[in-house]
Amino acid sequence: MSVLSFVEVSEGKIKKASVEAAYYGSKVAEGLGTDSVALVLGEASNDELASLGAVGVKKVLHVADAKLNNFDAKAYAKAVSEAAAAASANVVVLSFNQNGKLLAPRVAVRLNAGYVPGAVALPEFNGGTAVVKKNVFSGKASANYQLATENKVIAVNPNSLSPVRGTGTATVEALSLSVEVTTTVKAVNKVTGTIPLTEAELVVSGGRGLKGPENWWMVENLATELGAATACSRAVADVDWRPHHEHVGQTGLTIRPNLYIAVGVSGAIQHLAGVNGSKVIVVINTDPEAPFFKAADYGIVGDAFEVMPKLIEEVKKLKAH
Amino acid sequence: MKILVPIAKVPDTTSKIAFVDNNTKFSQEGVTYIMNPTDEWYALVRAVELKEKNGGEVVVIHVGGADSEQIIRKALAIGADKAVRVDADPTDAFFVASQIAAHAKTEGYDLIIAGKETIDYNSYEVGGMVAELLDLQSVALVQKLDIEGGVATIVREIEGGTETVEVKLPLVVCAQKELAEARIPNMKGIMAARTKPLTVVPATDAPKLTTIANYVLPEKAKEVKLIDKDNVAELVRLLHEEAKVI
Ligand SMILES: Cc1cc2nc3c(=O)[nH]c(=O)nc-3n(C[C@H](O)[C@H](O)[C@H](O)COP(=O)(O)OP(=O)(O)OC[C@H]3O[C@@H](n4cnc5c(N)ncnc54)[C@H](O)[C@@H]3O)c2cc1C
Ligand SMILES: Nc1ncnc2c1ncn2[C@@H]1O[C@H](COP(=O)(O)O)[C@@H](O)[C@H]1O
């Protein structure tokens, strides 16, 4: 028996979200007293794969088929379930990232497995039953999902747990599977130079309180100092102060960074829906009654135009140390 | 071209989130239900647009009780031609997906456009499950979808950007924002919806693979720590030393 985690490689590097999934898989394996095995599809260097040992993976199954360099939902689902059989895994862990959100339910169907989409904590086992916590209602509550099926599939919410790294290295074993790829990638369009919002651990966000696009230097400078991504409220995107792909909330992106700093954002419920999974929320707003303060961990009641320049200076000082 | 759009019913976002029966059930008190926004605004509208362009038919399917008929009529008013309601309690994604797949198998669709997720359980699972049950290719987080000569050209979200892919039909896609502009049903649509066919069918046998043991509300409203506006250095210190996030 084993626990299989599915690990994605992009441009030669293991994705951060996949390292979390592999770590989660190792913790589950440890709890069950079995081995942690990872599966990688597509070309990748042996060194990169062996590095999964640091998060407890014993063995990496590697299907080094260039056909699988790009994601193909159907082919990947077949490959993951066949690898699960090869590793006699009855728990399969994936990341609840862009590809995982589609792949995991397909794998669950193939394995007749109960499935938890977006686990935020490790499972608790009670005999053959696992109880796994996940967020529901856009983070306004959580639910304990119960899986009594023999096979179990868990997709782990990105940024829900921080992998502890040891010194192990994993052995890499080639696996060959026959798969048919029918998705043709025509173009990839990545926003370069900036940190993608959904992957960012730190985010600085501005709202209508900043009065106009010419004042965004405050948000941008603070973000640059922190190494953060920038975001905005929908109200701001609607009047074209900022591009729409930056807007977070019910109709925009959902993000769960470690730190979310909201400046001049009122904290409407539709905005909160996209950010209230953030670990730490800081709110800067002139209005002490702004609803955002109720969802915040730290707050400053004050004028952004006074507070932000000071904040930028203080962060600079901290970083200079 | 025959297109199937599965639509879900969800509490509207202003609903109070509360639980009853020892936190094992979602409290229905004062809750207004709506069509899942992603299904209504993007999946359904894009399906109707594709029909308007290429001809064919748009069918909506919903797994749920009789009290869902209002949202089904709304989908017909927006432009679907026919509706099917599978009369069953949609408590498990695999069960729901099995119902949709069973219907699709007998009808044979060129394209199934689901929403990426429902706003209550945020589970992103039904679309993928339907695809696997039908052994079809699938693409999720779809922001653009065009069909030309039996091939779909799709723009989907990836980490930090988008990817353009081509896939042959038949196909399952999961829609997200940007795929279409929401449409408000007009008078003509509302009138027409009254006479469009809505078929109610019994559920097919399928297991429920997950159950919810209980719900947990956040401990209590967070207690915000306020820092004086003239002491910004203190905020930076707290973020560094106490919260350890910078
Ligand atoms: C169906 C629906 C979906 C929606 N989806 C979203 C969504 O996804 N995302 C989203 O963000 N919104 C969404 N909205 C809109 C949302 O309801 C709010 O209108 C919007 O978030 C408000 O944006 P804001 O906070 O920037 O602006 P405002 O509400 O105008 O707030 C500005 C804030 O800035 C403060 N302020 C003013 N001057 C200063 C200053 N000098 N320094 C510091 N603070 C100052 C004010 O006190 C105020 O709190 C949605 C609405 C609907 C109906
Ligand atoms: N009860 C249901 N009836 C029909 N379609 C549904 C139902 N529940 C979910 N769906 C579809 O599946 C998508 C994803 O939902 P979920 O996997 O539950 O987050 C939704 O956007 C709908 O298109």
Side-chain angles (χ1 to χ4, degrees), chain A residues 14 22 26 36-40 45-61 166-173:
Chain A
I14 294 169
S26 298
S36 169
V37 178
L39 170 72
V40 174
S45 78
N46 255 30
D47 284 353
E48 184 67 13
L49 301 184
S51 76
L52 283 168
V55 291
V57 173
K58 280 249 155 56
K59 183 166 78 179
V60 179
L61 300 175
T167 51
T169 46
T171 56
V172 180
E173 198 177 291

Side-chain angles (χ1 to χ4, degrees), chain B residues 158-173:
Chain B
I158 56 171
E159 279 106 341
T162 57
E163 183 180 82
T164 308
V165 295
E166 275 183 10
V167 192
K168 280 204 191 99
L169 301 185
L171 172 72
V172 178
V173 300

Side-chain angles (χ1 to χ4, degrees), chain B residues 127-143:
Chain B
M129 287 181 174
V130 168
E132 193 61 53
L133 288 164
L134 296 170
D135 199 28
L136 291 179
Q137 186 56 275
S138 60
V139 181
L141 306 181
V142 169
Q143 301 179 339

